[in-house]
Amino acid sequence: MPPNPSFSSTMRIDLTPSSNECAPANAPLKTEPRVHKGKRSTPEQCELLGSADFRQLLQSVYDAALITNMDGWILSGNERASQFFQYDVAQFSDLHITSLLSGSDELLMATICESLQNDRFILIQAYCMRADGSIFPAEVSVNLIHISDADYLNFFIRDITLRKEAEDRLRTGHAAIQNSGNGIAITDIEATLEYFNPAMAALLGAEEREQLDGENITSYLNNPTVSYAITDAVTNGLTWSGELEMLRLDDITLFVQASVAPNTDADDTVVGMVWSLLDISDQKRA
């Protein structure tokens, strides 16, 4: 039986932080209080939301979890939420969910309530605000839950600071490789090209990237036997360095200073090679 598309559908929202809320960690914020519709719940209502088993389950959730009424007023939160946002659990009953999401407003709540009529989940990329005014990047999933004959909104909040930092490093590294003057290439263990930067394409005389797709980089060596020494060193976890004579696609001979290092997977198994080639043809001719 095919899955029901409406059962698994997810709406995605990206929230842009407010300019006056983009404070670095531990920097206090000065923001104007927002006026929200709806009615705050009393501490007694928050305390009695759901059964004891439900409340115990909420506390065991790894992510920060906040439950609000349909207007967005927070009714309940777990200890993880208290750690993330630096509020006591009891203090959440005085807060509206948009006071924790930078760049959000009543329009977000209207969008959430309307979208959950058709989508089972909403996934929000946002920056969340702590009690001290600092912010952190987060992934927030929202779904509709039914407790004690009433509808509520359930917000699961995951701190993605480490993931974002890793993504930023990857983007920076990719930009550096793309703009490097050295020819950089990644090949499999047989030296078949899997990735190469613009400098490598220019070095090998390729006018179109497609000319190098699936090519074996050792086929450009004037002395193919040196490829055995390179492969032997790399498969043993060593970096091979030396001078290579190569023949470009346009039949021009060039000399390069090469460094070929192992490319390993998460288990430190060598799965390929990273080639770095620097054209030294002018120096050789001189």
Side-chain angles (χ1 to χ4, degrees):
M1 181 178 177
N4 184 344
S6 63
F7 183 79
S8 59
S9 59
T10 299
M11 178 183 182
R12 298 179 183 274
I13 299 174
D14 288 332
L15 278 183
T16 302
S18 299
S19 58
N20 66 330
E21 292 174 345
C22 294
N26 301 321
L29 294 175
K30 295 181 180 179
T31 57
E32 294 298 323
R34 293 180 178 139
V35 178
H36 302 287
K37 68 178 183 179
K39 182 180 179 182
R40 288 184 175 91
S41 294
T42 65
E44 292 76 15
Q45 289 174 312
C46 298
E47 180 67 26
L48 296 176
L49 180 65
S51 66
D53 289 341
F54 172 82
R55 294 194 294 273
Q56 181 63 35
L57 178 63
L58 188 69
Q59 294 302 325
S60 68
V61 174
Y62 176 77
D63 293 330
L66 294 170
I67 297 175
T68 76
N69 61 22
M70 297 304 292
D71 289 326
W73 287 104
I74 298 173
L75 308 178
S76 181
N78 62 0
E79 288 294 337
R80 189 72 162 168
S82 179
Q83 294 169 7
F84 277 17
F85 292 99
Q86 301 174 359
Y87 288 103
D88 291 335
V89 172
Q91 291 178 296
F92 282 122
S93 61
D94 292 326
L95 299 175
H96 193 272
I97 190 65
T98 58
S99 67
L100 303 179
L101 302 177
S102 180
S104 64
D105 53 24
E106 291 295 342
L107 180 59
L108 175 66
M109 292 306 305
T111 301
I112 288 174
C113 293
E114 181 180 352
S115 299
L116 285 176
Q117 303 303 316
N118 301 311
D119 300 306
R120 189 162 184 258
F121 298 98
I122 293 175
L123 192 62
I124 303 172
Q125 298 291 331
Y127 279 84
C128 293
M129 294 179 289
R130 302 185 183 95
D132 66 359
S134 62
I135 63 175
F136 64 92
E139 188 174 76
V140 184
S141 63
V142 191
N143 66 299
L144 189 67
I145 57 173
H146 194 74
I147 306 173
S148 303
D149 298 323
D151 288 334
Y152 301 91
L153 297 175
N154 189 30
F155 291 78
F156 284 117
I157 300 156
R158 175 163 296 182
D159 186 340
I160 59 170
T161 300
L162 294 179
R163 184 205 305 176
K164 191 173 187 307
E165 289 174 351
E167 290 172 349
D168 289 343
R169 286 195 297 270
L170 284 173
R171 277 192 293 269
T172 301
H174 181 264
I177 290 172
Q178 285 294 98
N179 293 286
S180 172
N182 283 23
I184 307 292
I186 297 175
T187 71
D188 62 17
I189 204 63
E190 304 296 332
T192 301
L193 286 165
E194 296 179 340
Y195 165 83
F196 50 90
N197 69 349
M200 179 63 79
L203 194 70
L204 298 179
E207 296 182 359
E208 302 290 339
R209 292 186 61 86
E210 291 75 14
Q211 292 177 270
L212 297 180
D213 287 342
E215 287 285 292
N216 192 299
I217 197 169
T218 60
S219 65
Y220 297 90
L221 300 178
N222 275 349
N223 180 14
T225 58
V226 73
S227 63
Y228 299 116
I230 294 173
T231 302
D232 183 61
V234 171
T235 53
N236 284 286
L238 303 175
T239 297
W240 184 92
S241 298
E243 190 177 296
L244 296 173
E245 184 179 344
M246 306 183 75
L247 187 67
R248 292 165 38 115
L249 286 169
D250 53 11
D251 294 328
I252 295 176
T253 298
L254 73 155
F255 297 91
V256 298
Q257 183 64 41
S259 175
V260 188
N263 183 29
T264 59
D265 61 15
D267 298 320
D268 286 333
T269 301
V270 178
V271 294
M273 298 181 272
V274 180
W275 296 67
S276 177
L277 306 182
L278 175 64
D279 189 353
I280 59 170
S281 300
D282 291 342
Q283 294 92 314
K284 289 287 291 186
R285 294 188 184 97

